[in-house]
Amino acid sequence: MNEGDCLNEIIELKKAWEAIIISVNTTFDRLLHDIGGEETTGLPTEYSYPFTADTNIFIGKKPIAVLLGEERAEADNWRKVFSAIMAKCNSDAVCHENLMYLRDKVAGRDRVLLSRSSDTMKRPLKIDEDMYAEACYGTGTLLYILRDRILAPAHFDFSNISIVVKRN
């Protein structure tokens, strides 16, 4: 096995491990809540999930904030989460140039995801002058588009980003 294959396998194993840990924690938290009630369990009122985790774990959850390294940005909806992460990416000079290059080149099935203009977008989100992102998607898809279709091609390191959500 070559070095690239090993690295990919390690990344996949880490993703699987994160998904299992999140699933186990969520299940036990719900059991504790069901048995003891909210006041007696002492459970935290919020959880932090790494942005590198499967984006589907965020479906049905209510965001509170985004942790951008040591910085906490309040975000009470998924558009604000998207906006906070894009703002962090756009604040890096190299990533900004990469984002500017990607405009009108990143497209979904029906419309452009990152563009110079908001004209063809259903729910445009202004990122910068002459830069808009399409934000008319459900939670899992929106975060997938952000991470895998925009940030990764822009070469933005999102490994130190977490999303804080309310405990169900």
Side-chain angles (χ1 to χ4, degrees):
M1 189 180 291
N2 68 36
E3 187 174 324
D5 289 339
C6 283
L7 183 58
N8 287 339
E9 194 168 319
I10 289 170
I11 290 169
E12 290 304 314
L13 285 171
K14 185 177 179 186
K15 285 181 183 177
W17 172 72
E18 287 173 346
I20 290 168
I21 294 298
I22 289 167
S23 177
V24 168
N25 286 346
T26 302
T27 301
F28 275 92
D29 289 345
R30 284 197 177 131
L31 285 170
L32 287 170
H33 182 266
D34 290 347
I35 292 169
E38 193 164 336
E39 294 78 27
T40 60
T41 61
L43 295 176
T45 59
E46 60 184 47
Y47 293 105
S48 174
Y49 294 103
F51 188 49
T52 55
D54 182 353
T55 59
N56 290 325
I57 68 164
F58 298 107
I59 295 173
K61 293 185 173 49
K62 177 81 171 137
I64 298 173
V66 179
L67 300 177
L68 305 153
E70 297 297 315
E71 178 187 343
R72 181 178 171 119
E74 300 303 314
D76 61 0
N77 64 53
W78 292 110
R79 282 176 54 93
K80 289 180 183 176
V81 168
F82 189 104
S83 183
I85 295 172
M86 280 297 292
K88 182 70 171 178
C89 176
N90 194 45
S91 70
D92 178 272
V94 172
C95 289
H96 171 76
E97 287 304 315
N98 292 340
L99 289 171
M100 295 300 270
Y101 172 78
L102 288 171
R103 292 176 306 171
D104 300 315
K105 293 179 176 79
V106 180
R109 273 185 294 171
D110 301 325
R111 55 194 180 273
V112 175
L113 304 174
L114 189 66
S115 181
R116 300 171 191 277
S117 166
S118 64
D119 293 345
T120 61
M121 295 183 172
K122 286 186 177 182
R123 287 194 74 196
L125 190 61
K126 185 172 182 172
I127 307 303
D128 204 338
E129 281 303 313
D130 298 324
M131 187 187 318
Y132 297 87
E134 176 62 82
C136 185
Y137 294 98
T139 303
T141 303
L142 183 69
L143 296 177
Y144 165 78
I145 287 169
L146 174 60
R147 188 185 66 198
D148 297 346
R149 302 289 312 279
I150 297 173
L151 298 179
H155 305 291
F156 179 67
D157 179 14
F158 48 81
S159 63
N160 201 20
I161 294 177
S162 295
I163 300 175
V164 180
V165 296
K166 277 186 182 179
R167 183 174 67 82
N168 291 340

